[in-house]
Amino acid sequence: MGDCRPLGFLLGLPFALLALVFSVIGIVVWIIGTVLSCLCPCCICCAGIANFAVDLVKLPVKLLRWFTYQIPC
């Protein structure tokens, strides 16, 4: 039970919900970036946009973990 930090989880939940909205936006940007990089493989900026979008998709999990580890038991 040493890793049980429910207070950090509850405090981080509203921010994770906001990050979830950003992750949906990230999914849309990732799809657009992937399509553009397939149409024009010489366009390296589309790959950067797709990588940024993947980071947006992972944001809610990272945010909840960060909040959980900030609050001591």
Side-chain angles (χ1 to χ4, degrees):
M1 275 308 259
D3 289 337
C4 177
R5 296 183 175 135
L7 186 60
F9 178 77
L10 290 176
L11 288 175
L13 198 57
F15 298 105
L17 291 176
L18 182 64
L20 185 64
V21 172
F22 285 135
S23 71
V24 171
I25 294 170
I27 290 170
V28 172
V29 171
W30 178 73
I31 291 171
I32 292 171
T34 303
V35 168
L36 287 177
S37 66
C38 287
L39 293 176
C40 181
C42 62
C43 190
I44 194 69
C45 65
C46 293
I49 291 172
N51 288 335
F52 176 70
V54 169
D55 287 337
L56 281 178
V57 170
K58 293 179 182 179
L59 187 63
V61 175
K62 289 180 183 179
L63 193 65
L64 272 177
R65 284 185 182 166
W66 184 79
F67 264 104
T68 302
Y69 290 122
Q70 296 301 316
I71 304 294
C73 277

